[in-house]
Amino acid sequence: MRDEIERAGFVEVVEEKYKWPIGAWSTDAKLKELGRWNLNHWEQGLEGWTMRFFTRYLGVSEGNPQSRWIGEEIDPPSMTQRPD
């Protein structure tokens, strides 16, 4: 990304890289806590982000965008009964 910023005309660009985990997988206590907060952020925001994409770019109606995928139109494998 630094190259793109410099091509845009910025000078003395400083690039810093950070570890930004999603979930509490890290053995480092600080990264574990950061991962928990970041996972919560993703879980809370994912539906809103996808609904914006569906309504703005896929043409799904804003009234109830989830209704397009609810009911008889889909049959997710996780929702069907497995044979014994």
Side-chain angles (χ1 to χ4, degrees), residues 11-70:
V11 294
E12 297 182 27
V13 177
V14 177
E15 181 178 34
E16 295 183 21
K17 296 185 180 188
Y18 296 93
K19 291 183 180 181
W20 201 258
I22 299 175
W25 55 266
S26 180
T27 56
D28 180 90
K30 184 176 180 181
L31 290 177
K32 187 180 289 274
E33 181 68 15
L34 179 63
R36 284 187 185 118
W37 282 101
N38 198 23
L39 177 61
N40 184 36
H41 169 74
W42 276 91
E43 288 174 342
Q44 296 298 316
L46 191 58
E47 182 179 8
W49 302 329
T50 54
M51 286 300 116
R52 179 180 172 106
F53 177 77
F54 289 158
T55 56
R56 179 166 285 198
Y57 301 106
L58 298 182
V60 178
S61 70
E62 291 185 28
N64 189 4
Q66 293 124 330
S67 65
R68 183 172 176 175
W69 290 277
I70 295 174

